Every structure is written in structure tokens, then in C-alpha cells.
Amino acid sequence: MKRRFPTALVFVVVAVVFAFVSLLACGAAERPDGGQGLLPVGAPAPDVFAADQHGAIQRLSDQRGRAVVVYFYPKDGTPGCTEEACAFRDAWDRFKQANVQVFGVSADTRESHEAFSTEHRLPFPILVDTDHTWATAFGVPMRLGTMARVTFLIDPDGKIAKVYPDVDPGVHADDVLKDAAQLTGAALPVAPAAGSGSAAPAGADGAAPAAGAEGAPAGAAPGAAGAVPSGAAPGAAVPVATGAMLPPAAPAPTPAKR
């Protein structure tokens, strides 16, 4: 037993050192601008660039004039990271409507990003940061080679508008969208109802077609203001209570000469 005690002690020392190093890795990261920790609200976003999953170069400063979401995540394919990416995917159309660009960032390789993107049909760029350039510039801490889960919202002028250090992957995309829409001045896009199609809203197109007054078929009731023309062409839009103006009534027939 006495001979085995030093060996056990060595294991204890190694475990303590490992835990200490891990704590240091989770501490505040030093940024290139001399600051420490996460880039604060009001600071200019760094002018960084990286390749996305398709090999295209994405530069952050090219996005001026729109809001930008940069979300850092630990690793492709893990449950939380997959849930977060799919939430941004499902809200992607609404982000586009609000003029907001989304970038995902992790330390995975381009090949890993490509496979992850293809499997889950991700429509937005996920950036390759194997050298931790983006993570360092934003002050995102590293934990054993993986990035902490943190999101930055950048305003159209290129400044940090909000930082999200504690992220719930399931609802995070909707929370960021609300804040981003306020930055761009866009009305918050509403999520489409389940099973709804892409039909245009009633009254958007052809609520009051001009063809109802010109070239109307014989038999239409003249002067029936507010009534639906009886001889309307099949499939023609019917004016409803949407504020649309009804077609003018047809002129009265000219009396026959005697």
C-alpha cells in the first residue's frame, strides 16, 4: 500500500492541474484591441473575414447597412448546436424580411461545416474559425478547443448593439430576431402558420381589377354600385371590404333614334 501511495498522489496532482488549466481557459479572453472578455455594447465590430461552408469569403464589414447576427457555438453536430442552428434555419425567411444577416461561427473545419450544413439544410453561412481569429476578436472564451456559446447583434453602423452570453438554443433565434428588427426599423415578421401556403394576402393583387369596367360581358347589371358584376370573367378577383375601390358603373345605353 505504501508503494502505491505516491502513484495515487501523482494522479491527484494531475487532476488538480487539469482543473486549474480548464478554469483559466474559461476565463476572460484578451482581445486584439487590448480589452478583456466579451466585446462590449457600443464597441465597433472587428473587421474580420473567414471562409464559409462553401468556401466563399465572408467579410463582416461588407454587411454595413443591415443588422448582423454573429453566433458562436461549440461544435457541429452536437445536440445543443444542432438545435440552435435549426432554430435560425426555421426563422431564416423572417430574418431576410427584416434585413438581417446571420453568421454562425465555430472552430470546426470547412468540411465539417459543409456536412453539418447539408444534413440540416442551413441556408446561412457558417464560418470556419480554426485559428480562432473571430473568437479572439470578439473576446469569446475557448473551452478545450471549442468556443463558448455566445451571440453578438451588430447594428447597421457596425457597432455592437447587444451581447447574449447565456443562450437557450431552442428560443434564441426568436429573441434575437425581435431585437434585430428594432435595429433595422422593420416590422417584426410573423412566423407562418402551420400548413399555410404562400398565397398573397387578400386584396394584395387584383382587389379591384380594371377589367371589370372595360370590356365587361353583356348582361352585367348597369349601375349596380357595390354589387358583384354578374358577368365577371371566371377566376376574376371579387372586391371585398378591404378599402379597394369598386369599378365604375357602366354607362346607360343610348336611346335608339326614331
Side-chain angles (χ1 to χ4, degrees):
M1 294 296 295
K2 290 184 179 180
R3 283 188 171 182
R4 299 178 62 181
F5 177 76
T7 303
L9 182 60
V10 169
F11 280 113
V12 171
V13 171
V14 170
V16 170
V17 171
F18 181 82
F20 180 73
V21 171
S22 298
L23 287 174
L24 289 179
C26 295
E30 185 173 353
R31 304 190 306 267
D33 63 1
Q36 285 192 337
L38 300 175
L39 205 60
V41 170
D47 186 14
V48 286
F49 63 91
D52 64 18
Q53 68 267 42
H54 307 298
I57 299 299
Q58 304 287 346
R59 183 181 289 274
L60 194 55
S61 60
D62 290 342
Q63 304 300 323
R64 294 291 171 83
R66 65 171 63 181
V68 182
V69 174
V70 179
Y71 81 91
F72 292 86
Y73 65 96
K75 191 169 182 59
D76 292 339
T78 55
C81 298
T82 300
E83 183 180 17
E84 185 176 18
C86 290
F88 277 108
R89 176 202 65 195
D90 295 343
W92 175 239
D93 286 341
R94 291 185 287 149
F95 275 101
K96 288 194 298 181
Q97 291 174 34
N99 195 28
V100 181
Q101 176 62 53
V102 175
F103 290 125
V105 185
S106 83
D108 295 296
T109 63
R110 191 197 68 79
E111 292 77 13
S112 175
H113 279 348
E114 185 177 27
F116 183 51
S117 174
T118 300
E119 180 181 0
H120 298 289
R121 306 184 307 280
L122 304 182
F124 53 86
I126 48 177
L127 307 182
V128 180
D129 194 30
T130 51
D131 60 359
H132 308 160
T133 297
W134 282 59
T136 302
F138 280 87
V140 176
M142 303 292 298
R143 297 185 176 99
L144 301 179
T146 62
M147 299 172 184
R149 194 185 306 281
V150 57
T151 297
F152 295 83
L153 176 59
I154 304 171
D155 68 22
D157 294 327
K159 293 185 178 180
I160 305 298
K162 194 165 183 178
V163 183
Y164 307 81
D166 297 316
V167 171
D168 182 342
V171 300
H172 181 51
D174 288 334
D175 291 341
V176 177
L177 178 58
K178 293 176 185 176
D179 296 332
Q182 292 180 356
L183 290 179
T184 62
L188 181 63
V190 179
S196 63
S198 57
D205 296 317
E214 205 173 312
V228 178
S230 59
V238 177
V240 292
T242 59
M245 184 178 295
L246 291 173
T254 305
K257 294 183 178 180
R258 294 183 179 178

